[in-house]
Amino acid sequence: MGSLMRLDKMLAEMGMGTRSQIKELAKKGRIQVNGVTEKKTDRKVDFQKDVVAVDHVPVSYVELEYYMLNKPQGVVSATEDHDHETVVGLLKKGQEGPRRKDLFPVGRLDIDTEGLLLITNDGELAHGLLSPRRHVDKRYYAEVEGTLPEDACLRFRQGITLSDGTPTLPAKLELLDDREKAWEGSPADGSGSDTVRNFSRVVLTIHEGKFHQVKRMFEALGCRVVFLRRLSMGSLVLDEKLKPGEYRELSKEEVKRLRSDINDTQPVGNPGDRVFSA
Ligand code: URA
């Protein structure tokens, strides 16, 4: 897209109202372009050069926005919801909230899952990251109840078959060391894999995003995920400084790396094409 666009479209995208509301503002003489009152809202402006203002307050145009949210539990991965707070709603509450009104979460985390969620209006990037053919890595920290079979790592590496018969791609399971704590603030008491309490702390890397996939993979091994946090998606790693509910904009470098994640990840045909060596 070039940098020329209709004045009403530009102002609507920046949340100044609907096109008809913007027309009303213009009629009242409240819109200025380069310091001159502008009544024609269908005229074109160059959003890189022209200074567009409402009531003499400049409105700058942002085409694409990218936020990393540490999703808290109890919030749904949606733009709107009748019953629960949404991840997009959380961003709007912040002081340095988004400018655009067309942001959406890239994929979904369950209501009780925490962690990394990318929120953007970049449809092309979202599509690439979510495409089942791209197999962008997703890394999760999980706390699991039940006794993991001794060959759990091997079984994940070979791909688990879910209870409804759905096969999954090979995944990488790491059992966390006894005293190592994956993350401050975890509900676990830090005792690691404990066969007496039938409780394990693990990190799992998967390459697809089936519905409740992590929970269902462990269920297939007779275990239950009691806590789940996404740590990364492709090259994008959850910023440890962000507490649940907090967010920040992505750096230009992070966006660039995500774009190359998509280009570097060749579409793969068969689940068996990619098997972890570790
Ligand atoms: N897998 C799940 O089971 N839940 C999530 O929220 C994400 C991955």
Side-chain angles (χ1 to χ4, degrees):
M1 175 170 112
S3 57
L4 277 186
M5 71 192 299
R6 276 176 62 134
L7 176 59
D8 52 0
K9 183 169 191 288
M10 181 217 155
L11 287 171
E13 286 188 16
M14 291 301 98
M16 303 310 293
T18 60
R19 288 204 193 185
S20 51
Q21 286 167 335
I22 289 161
K23 208 168 181 175
E24 281 306 304
L25 287 176
K27 262 196 209 159
K28 292 179 184 153
R30 293 176 59 189
I31 297 179
Q32 300 82 38
V33 177
N34 300 323
V36 179
T37 301
E38 179 58 80
K39 297 207 167 171
K40 279 206 210 136
T41 52
D42 60 353
R43 68 157 278 185
K44 294 250 164 104
V45 287
D46 183 334
F47 59 75
Q48 283 175 354
K49 293 193 195 129
D50 293 323
V51 179
V52 176
V54 175
D55 294 333
H56 301 279
V57 178
V59 178
S60 53
Y61 184 73
V62 194
E63 194 176 352
L64 295 169
E65 282 189 294
Y66 305 87
Y67 291 89
M68 169 193 297
L69 169 71
N70 184 353
K71 178 193 170 298
Q73 294 182 5
V75 173
V76 291
S77 301
T79 49
E80 280 174 25
D81 192 87
H82 286 306
D83 304 319
H84 297 98
E85 187 157 30
T86 68
V87 290
V88 172
L90 274 183
L91 260 60
K92 289 183 190 149
K93 278 183 171 175
Q95 297 197 322
E96 290 189 24
R99 316 268 290 288
R100 301 214 43 123
K101 302 290 159 203
D102 52 358
L103 299 179
F104 58 87
V106 178
R108 282 166 193 271
L109 292 177
D110 297 338
I111 190 162
D112 57 354
T113 300
E114 291 187 8
L116 176 69
L117 195 60
L118 171 63
I119 299 180
T120 183
N121 63 325
D122 186 339
E124 200 180 318
L125 180 71
H127 185 263
L129 289 171
L130 295 177
S131 163
R133 289 174 54 74
R134 294 270 169 203
H135 304 166
V136 172
D137 291 5
K138 286 149 209 118
R139 208 159 166 258
Y140 292 89
Y141 165 73
E143 293 173 359
V144 179
E145 260 177 19
T147 311
L148 278 173
E150 268 185 24
D151 62 350
C153 293
L154 175 67
R155 289 176 66 181
F156 272 95
R157 204 153 70 220
Q158 290 171 336
I160 301 263
T161 302
L162 304 179
S163 58
D164 64 358
T166 309
T168 61
L169 289 173
K172 181 178 177 182
L173 179 69
E174 298 162 74
L175 302 174
L176 294 182
D177 184 36
D178 269 358
R179 270 175 294 278
E180 181 188 323
K181 243 187 151 190
W183 199 286
E184 264 334 295
S186 147
D189 61 9
S191 54
S193 184
D194 179 337
T195 44
V196 178
R197 288 190 303 124
N198 288 344
F199 179 85
S200 309
R201 292 178 304 109
V202 302
V203 171
L204 180 68
T205 308
I206 60 174
H207 307 280
E208 50 196 338
K210 297 189 196 307
F211 187 58
H212 297 324
Q213 179 157 346
V214 175
K215 292 175 186 165
R216 288 160 74 209
M217 286 174 107
F218 281 101
E219 262 164 39
L221 298 187
C223 296
R224 194 166 76 93
V225 172
V226 292
F227 179 79
L228 190 59
R229 173 185 288 132
R230 183 153 64 192
L231 304 174
S232 64
M233 185 179 195
S235 59
L236 190 65
V237 179
L238 179 61
D239 187 331
E240 292 188 29
K241 291 194 217 80
L242 296 177
K243 298 195 186 77
E246 292 183 347
Y247 62 89
R248 68 159 170 80
E249 271 198 90
L250 261 57
S251 67
K252 287 205 170 73
E253 194 50 43
E254 284 170 326
V255 176
K256 205 166 127 191
R257 271 190 262 132
L258 275 177
R259 291 215 176 100
S260 58
D261 284 348
I262 296 171
N263 297 328
D264 292 349
T265 323
Q266 292 304 313
V268 182
N270 283 311
D273 285 357
R274 237 180 107 163
V275 179
F276 279 106
S277 52

